[in-house]
């Protein structure tokens, strides 16, 4: 995944290639907004980045006041879901700088999603430079590092006005942001479902089209109606192997080993997942990436060998799971306040991402 330096260097080299037109708001809406208290995604920052692909080329991006876009009802993003997105965060360092965490990985994943949906890729330099310019402009929206972060939502979608089912040839890239408060991820109960699948071989589970999330909603809703916080997804063929947990990758601690499902093509390659694996290995843990059967987990739990289970993702970083229901069996984990690995992974990652700990991996991009 890494190639950190290369990405940063090429970004510098290509910096001059993109002239970004900027139209500032007359008055910032940030005044009076309690950045870490507003409900998640309820108040957007002042500006958004907008770039259009047409006539076979990306046009120069612009930064404009955040607001609605005039769009035809015929666009194929609406009709056929030709739409991809990413999720990232910017943190404020103790010195006051803005920090991005491995943002080139999001740019590359967006382009892998684009390729899967026969969409045009977004030039990495345009994405990263445009994003940084947007963050410089909306600096005041980024909360203090120990209180919260700025959530960043890039989306790439077709604006092709055509009802024919075909690869689109006009797109928008938009990037908008909003502030949110860091929260303590309370341990959750999850339901392993055999009724619905999130992904299957040859499908789109390893990328991020909006449609993946639309078709998962009913499973999530039914899990919530049954008293669980989210679904634990099993593989699409045998409904036997654990793949993901809600919109997070999943880890287990068994005896003195950490295990996580191997990236099989049906699992989203999470940037938090990759970072957690590296951090735990470098801290001396054995981390295995392999197939994990739900029946194996039931048996390990029966033997008292299953110590921790947690999800990983950009928003919550590390989310403890306290109970997994599979058919009529409950896998109840030991109390989360006794865990070692999940808090260690979280603290190490958050330390680097917020600039409070050294960054030996070159993961942090300082704006
Ligand atoms: N799995 C799914 C299905 C997701 O949507 C996400 C969030 N992007 C993740 C895992 C975690 O990925 P990341 O660590 O890159 O946020």
């Amino acid at each position: 995944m890494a190639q950190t330096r290369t990405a940063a260097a090429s970004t510098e080299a290509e910096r001059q290639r993109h002239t970004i037109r900027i139209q500032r708001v007359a008055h910032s809406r940030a005044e009076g907004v309690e950045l870490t208290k507003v409900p998640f995604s309820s108040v957007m920052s002042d500006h958004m980045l907008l770039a259009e692909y047409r006539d076979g080329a990306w046009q120069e991006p612009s930064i404009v006041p955040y607001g609605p876009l005039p769009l035809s009802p015929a666009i194929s993003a609406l009709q056929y879901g030709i739409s991809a997105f990413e999720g990232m965060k910017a943190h404020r360092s103790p010195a006051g700088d803005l920090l991005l965490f491995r943002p080139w990985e999001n740019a590359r994943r967006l382009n892998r999603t684009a390729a899967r949906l026969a969409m045009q890729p977004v030039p990495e330099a345009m994405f990263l430079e445009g994003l940084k310019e947007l963050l410089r402009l909306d600096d005041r929206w980024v909360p203090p590092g120990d209180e919260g972060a700025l959530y960043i939502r890039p989306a790439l979608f077709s604006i092709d006005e055509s009802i024919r089912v075909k690869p689109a040839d006009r797109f928008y890239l938009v990037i908008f942001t909003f502030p949110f408060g860091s929260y303590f991820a309370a341990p959750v109960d999850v339901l392993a479902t055999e009724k619905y699948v999130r992904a299957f071989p040859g499908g789109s589970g390893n990328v991020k089209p909006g449609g993946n999330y639309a078709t998962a909603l009913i499973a999530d809703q039914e899990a919530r109606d049954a008293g669980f916080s989210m679904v634990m997804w099993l593989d699409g063929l045998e409904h036997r192997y654990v793949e993901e947990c809600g919109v997070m990758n999943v880890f287990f601690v068994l005896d003195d080993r950490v295990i996580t499902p191997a990236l099989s093509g049906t699992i989203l390659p999470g940037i938090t997942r990759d970072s957690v694996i590296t951090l735990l290995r470098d801290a001396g843990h054995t981390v295995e990436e392999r197939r994990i059967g739900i029946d194996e987990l039931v048996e390990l739990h029966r033997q008292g060998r299953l110590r921790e289970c947690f999800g990983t993702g950009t928003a919550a970083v590390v989310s403890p799971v306290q109970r997994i229901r599979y058919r009529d069996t409950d896998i109840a984990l030991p109390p989360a306040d006794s865990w070692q690995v999940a808090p260690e992974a979280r603290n190490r990652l958050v330390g680097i991402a917020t600039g409070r700990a050294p960054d030996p991996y070159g993961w942090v991009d300082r704006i």
Side-chain angles (χ1 to χ4, degrees):
M1 261 207 171
Q3 292 175 22
T4 305
R5 294 297 166 202
T6 327
S10 73
T11 302
E12 279 312 314
E14 292 175 32
R15 184 184 282 265
Q16 295 311 322
R17 286 210 212 146
H18 300 284
T19 1
I20 302 170
R21 273 174 292 130
I22 297 178
Q23 185 196 332
R24 287 171 189 267
V25 294
H27 301 285
S28 171
R29 288 178 286 101
E31 204 87 349
V33 174
E34 291 201 82
L35 298 182
T36 56
K37 302 225 165 60
V38 286
F40 192 78
S41 80
S42 66
V43 183
M44 305 303 178
S45 312
D46 287 326
H47 300 92
M48 63 183 180
L49 179 111
L50 190 59
E52 184 177 345
Y53 181 95
R54 72 176 127 83
D55 305 326
W58 281 99
Q59 312 299 308
E60 291 300 359
S62 42
I63 292 178
V64 296
Y66 174 85
L69 297 168
L71 291 169
S72 154
I75 60 171
S76 53
L78 286 177
Q79 302 301 328
Y80 306 123
I82 305 182
S83 180
F85 73 99
E86 274 300 322
M88 355 177 15
K89 282 195 303 200
H91 291 280
R92 191 178 294 290
S93 79
D97 305 329
L98 299 188
L99 309 176
L100 287 165
F101 187 74
R102 309 181 73 181
W104 43 86
E105 302 294 356
N106 296 91
R108 288 169 195 166
R109 192 168 63 189
L110 183 67
N111 282 340
R112 290 201 300 274
T113 312
R116 181 64 179 78
L117 302 189
M119 300 166 95
Q120 289 297 323
V122 175
E124 207 173 298
M126 183 181 92
F127 179 94
L128 294 174
E129 279 314 307
L131 170 60
K132 287 179 192 175
E133 203 54 48
L134 178 68
L135 296 183
R136 282 184 204 110
L137 209 60
D138 280 339
D139 179 282
R140 72 183 71 186
W141 287 88
V142 187
D146 51 350
E147 287 177 33
L150 192 76
Y151 187 89
I152 301 164
R153 169 49 55 92
L156 170 69
F157 56 93
S158 159
I159 53 165
D160 208 2
E161 279 186 68
S162 173
I163 290 298
R164 281 180 50 216
V165 180
K166 65 168 183 63
D169 53 23
R170 286 183 58 198
F171 303 94
Y172 268 160
L173 168 73
V174 294
I175 307 182
F176 60 88
T177 71
F178 56 86
F180 74 110
S182 45
Y183 48 93
F184 165 73
V188 293
D189 292 351
V190 306
L191 177 66
T193 180
E194 293 175 283
K195 182 173 172 192
Y196 300 105
V197 296
R198 197 194 78 88
F200 42 84
S204 59
N206 57 347
V207 288
K208 278 178 82 72
N212 280 8
Y213 300 81
T215 54
L217 287 173
I218 188 71
D220 190 68
Q221 191 179 52
E222 289 182 15
R224 284 173 196 276
D225 289 347
F228 298 88
S229 292
M230 58 186 75
V231 167
M232 179 161 277
W233 296 106
L234 304 178
D235 75 282
L237 291 181
E238 295 177 66
H239 300 173
R240 221 181 117 195
Y241 297 100
V242 171
E243 298 214 317
E244 304 206 45
C245 197
V247 290
M248 294 184 289
N249 295 112
V250 66
F251 286 74
F252 300 89
V253 180
L254 124 82
D255 299 328
D256 55 357
R257 272 172 299 149
V258 182
I259 55 175
T260 188
L263 296 178
S264 56
T266 51
I267 290 175
L268 189 81
I271 296 158
T272 319
R273 172 189 182 279
D274 185 74
S275 309
V276 162
I277 292 174
T278 301
L279 291 169
L280 289 178
R281 283 192 179 141
D282 288 355
H285 294 278
T286 302
V287 184
E288 290 172 9
E289 296 173 76
R290 64 166 172 88
R291 292 228 285 192
I292 304 169
I294 185 84
D295 40 1
E296 177 189 353
L297 292 177
V298 170
E299 181 54 23
L300 289 166
H301 170 251
R302 204 188 53 75
Q303 295 169 4
R305 296 168 59 195
L306 203 56
R307 300 209 175 134
E308 304 180 25
C309 171
F310 54 93
T312 63
T314 295
V317 187
V318 169
S319 244
V321 173
Q322 68 187 3
R323 184 166 66 100
I324 306 161
R325 164 74 61 82
Y326 170 61
R327 295 184 178 167
D328 46 14
T329 304
D330 257 341
I331 303 177
L333 282 296
D337 53 14
S338 67
W339 297 3
Q340 306 280 323
V341 179
E344 181 180 0
R346 185 193 161 81
N347 292 341
R348 283 181 188 264
L349 200 154
V350 170
I352 295 175
T354 59
R356 277 177 282 177
D359 171 26
Y361 307 100
W363 283 344
V364 170
D365 202 353
R366 200 170 289 269
I367 297 172

